[in-house]
Amino acid sequence: MKLSDLKHAKLKKWVEDFAALTQPDEVVICDGSPAQYDALEDAAVKDGLAIRLNEEKKPHSVLFRSDPSDVARVEKRTFIASKKEEDAGPTNNWIDPTELKKEMTDLYRGCMKGRKMYVIPFSMGPLGSPIAKIGVELTDSAYVVMNMMIMTRVGVKVLDLLGTDGYFVPCYHSVGKPLAPGESDHGVWPCAPIDHKFISQFPETREIWSYGSGYGGNALLGKKCLALRIATVLARDEGWLAEHMLILKVTNPEGRCRYVTGAFPSACGKTNLAMLKSTIPGWSIETVGDDIAWMKFGPDGYLHAINPEAGFFGVAPGTSMKSNPNALIAASKNTIFTNVGLTKDGDVWWEGIGYDAPGELIDWNGNPWTQNKEDKTQKPCAHPNSRFTAPAYQCPCIAKEWEDPAGVPISAILFGGRRPNTIPLVHMSRDWNHGVFLGSIVGSEITAATLDQKVGTVRRDPFAMLPFCGYNMGDYFQHWIDIGKNAPDPKKLPRIFYVNWFRKDKDGHFMWPGYGDNSRVLKWVFQCCDGTAKTVDTPIGIMPALDGFDKPSEVSDETMKTLLSVDVDGWLKEVEDIKTNHYPKFGKHLPKELAAFLDTLEKSLKAEKAGEAEPAKKGGHCGCHCGKKN
Ligand code: TSX
Ligand code: MN
């Protein structure tokens, strides 16, 4: 397929203009064919940028090693370029769009010399779904093309859907390393120095301009840049939700199912939860998505979610047959590995894979590496942020409806974080706005001191969206409140829960076994949606009655009681922390409903402490937001 084959005049002109600026040797249109993927893979192997893995161990898979300076998203070089600084808000890096475009245009000038420019037409979401969106990424990185072909739906079908004048989100990307005549990468991952890296979002014109990094969310522009930062802006304007959430399906022993989404900060095991193996006989969990959910009200009045992605870009370290067998199987073939260890026999290895490193390996820097368990200071073989890029359809527990263009109706939304104390295993919000409050206070306790935070304090990451919201976070909270207000049928809104798998006892041991046993929490969530759960009313919301919760046998009655009790003093401290350190950041953009809820919560906690509270009320709780008890 050639540039002259593009039937979309505006797209063709846009591609030609960027090629004129960046001056690639050649323009290649990505048709999405397996043949094109294989040719890119062959070329990457020939250039020394990729290593083909053992065909027996990891069929049709390769390993890339990035530059040591280009191993993760770079938040300090990620910009929201709105006309007004206030529209980017207190939690984003704002930059003037006119000045940024000038500076980046200068960087883009001639930046693709000696390289090919690839045109990637992609759909975020099943092709033609009313919830899906189309983007086109122009890039000089074959690694990006290969990853986009796994993570999104790429090719001719997308161009057909665009027709002659369809709307697409324009996405520019360059690694920022032009080649002199005759020069090649010589096996060195191309990228630009840190202060030339830019990951820029223009929310008003809905454009993405990325320069200088070839890694992950910096470069695969469909994911964090489009499906989150730009999509949050589209969602705000069009009345839907673009969220950093997994989507899972729970089926009970009668064969009835419910769909649940969940937002968690990093290092909480979100991908593990999305692919959980239930430990309760008869109950099963399947996966719809592990990272992003787009939710829109359907004609039936329910919020329907699609997974805009087509693959998993998962963190490798810690992924084992014990922690997440489904992810390992998904990544057992047709997979791109980045920055993991390489074994002598052409297989991959990483810390936490579940077995010792076999003999001498090559580490993520390309150096010989032999495991020494005595040496606690040994550098890891795989980079802690090393990844697998695997097709979603290869996941053994992928739900059959994962590509349904109508999406799946959502019954429950989970929020969570790593909280060694205060936050119980699970509680349910009383109503939608209380649920928005729970989303707004999401965070994890920090375990290593940073420049601005002490160990033991909570790093807030509201809705797990701090790095991914394309506009003012306070306005984003308001959008969530408005979704509840404007719901076509408020009774059909999802119930909202806060979960915490990471409570520790006084000796520092985890109190909850987690992993597969989290299905027990999902069972209670399911029953809450049905209105059949055994519940108690508490000052912080609705919690499981001890006798109605499916306790794992290895957890003692006493531990279970602690996991499901309200720590009144801890919560009063939590309220104080939110009041003094969290909510003031949002100034006048903080919705009054959230400030009001915080006051109500404080009053109920103080009444409880003073012994003035009504005794805990036992009883079922209706599955909708009507407030009735049954
Ligand atoms: O992913 C995790 N989940 C969710 C699983 C569906 N992890 C790993 C977090 C880092 C990515 C967890 N770690 C979970 C969890 O529920 N819980 C814990 C803490 C924990 C660790 C070890 C044990 C128990 C809890 N027990 C033993 O190792 C025996
Ligand atoms: Mn994510």
Side-chain angles (χ1 to χ4, degrees), residues 53-54 56-63 150-151 271 275 311-317 319-321 324-338 340 346-350 353 355 386-397:
L53 297 172
N54 184 325
E56 241 111 75
K57 311 247 171 198
K58 292 286 180 292
H60 198 227
S61 301
V62 287
L63 163 65
I150 295 174
M151 293 305 294
T271 299
M275 301 176 189
F312 308 120
F313 186 66
V315 173
T319 307
S320 69
M321 278 317 264
N324 195 340
N326 289 312
L328 269 194
I329 296 166
S332 63
K333 57 186 175 185
N334 307 315
T335 294
I336 302 168
F337 294 92
T338 309
V340 301
D347 203 349
V348 292
W349 188 87
W350 50 74
I353 198 170
Y355 51 88
S386 57
R387 301 281 172 153
F388 54 81
T389 316
Y393 68 81
Q394 292 185 173
C395 181
C397 62

Side-chain angles (χ1 to χ4, degrees), residues 59-332:
H60 198 227
S61 301
V62 287
L63 163 65
F64 280 84
R65 295 191 194 113
S66 80
D67 188 89
S69 71
D70 199 24
V71 293
R73 289 185 301 101
V74 279
E75 289 182 10
K76 69 171 195 284
R77 303 298 303 168
T78 300
F79 300 97
I80 302 298
S82 47
K83 283 190 192 122
K84 287 193 284 178
E85 181 165 6
E86 187 174 357
D87 292 336
T91 59
N92 281 313
N93 295 318
W94 175 80
I95 190 163
D96 179 81
T98 311
E99 280 173 25
L100 177 62
K101 283 195 171 176
K102 199 165 151 274
E103 187 173 2
M104 289 192 72
T105 301
D106 286 342
L107 288 169
Y108 280 136
R109 191 168 291 115
C111 72
M112 293 189 185
K113 275 185 187 161
R115 297 187 185 277
K116 289 177 182 164
M117 180 172 99
Y118 302 94
V119 180
I120 316 175
F122 64 94
S123 175
M124 297 312 289
L127 266 95
S129 159
I131 315 178
K133 299 277 177 196
I134 289 175
V136 182
E137 178 166 354
L138 306 182
T139 180
D140 51 10
S141 163
Y143 172 81
V144 165
V145 179
M146 292 173 64
N147 276 271
M148 286 292 283
M149 286 180 80
I150 295 174
M151 293 305 294
T152 75
R153 293 139 176 108
V154 167
V156 179
K157 284 187 188 143
V158 178
L159 289 175
D160 289 345
L161 208 58
L162 268 182
T164 54
D165 61 353
Y167 177 75
F168 64 92
V169 176
C171 312
Y172 292 143
H173 174 253
S174 171
V175 294
K177 182 115 186 2
L179 296 168
E183 190 192 1
S184 92
D185 286 317
H186 290 297
V188 178
W189 172 276
C191 61
I194 182 76
D195 52 335
H196 281 184
K197 285 182 168 70
F198 285 91
I199 311 355
S200 310
Q201 282 70 205
F202 300 86
E204 282 121 358
T205 51
R206 289 142 192 208
E207 294 169 84
I208 298 160
W209 291 29
S210 170
Y211 184 92
S213 167
Y215 203 87
N218 300 335
L220 316 176
L221 302 184
K223 194 175 176 68
K224 304 304 190 183
C225 301
L226 196 164
L228 289 174
R229 295 191 197 100
I230 293 296
T232 51
V233 174
L234 301 173
R236 176 198 60 191
D237 296 348
E238 298 170 2
W240 51 283
L241 295 168
E243 300 302 326
H244 190 203
M245 289 180 178
L246 61 83
I247 312 168
L248 58 78
K249 173 185 179 182
V250 189
T251 306
N252 76 0
E254 287 80 58
R256 234 169 6 92
C257 68
R258 287 192 177 273
Y259 301 93
V260 178
T261 63
F264 297 81
S266 58
C268 287
K270 196 166 113 191
T271 299
N272 298 343
L273 184 62
M275 301 176 189
L276 187 101
K277 274 199 167 160
S278 162
T279 57
I280 323 171
W283 288 77
S284 67
I285 312 291
E286 289 160 276
T287 311
V288 177
D290 82 323
D291 198 37
I292 302 176
W294 283 356
M295 292 182 274
K296 229 178 215 181
F297 289 109
D300 59 1
Y302 287 96
L303 263 183
H304 283 246
I306 63 161
N307 171 8
E309 303 191 281
F312 308 120
F313 186 66
V315 173
T319 307
S320 69
M321 278 317 264
K322 230 173 139 184
S323 72
N324 195 340
N326 289 312
L328 269 194
I329 296 166
S332 63

Side-chain angles (χ1 to χ4, degrees), residues 340-362:
V340 301
L342 176 69
T343 68
K344 272 257 153 65
D345 58 357
D347 203 349
V348 292
W349 188 87
W350 50 74
E351 282 69 23
I353 198 170
Y355 51 88
D356 289 346
E360 187 179 275
L361 285 77
I362 308 289

Side-chain angles (χ1 to χ4, degrees), residues 42 45 97 99 130 140 261 275 295 357 380 390 410 412 472 520 522 535:
D42 287 345
V45 170
E99 280 173 25
D140 51 10
T261 63
M275 301 176 189
M295 292 182 274
I410 299 303
N472 188 306
R520 295 164 194 279
L522 292 171
T535 63

Side-chain angles (χ1 to χ4, degrees), residues 123 244 377 399 569 614:
S123 175
H244 190 203
T377 67
D569 287 323
E614 294 175 51

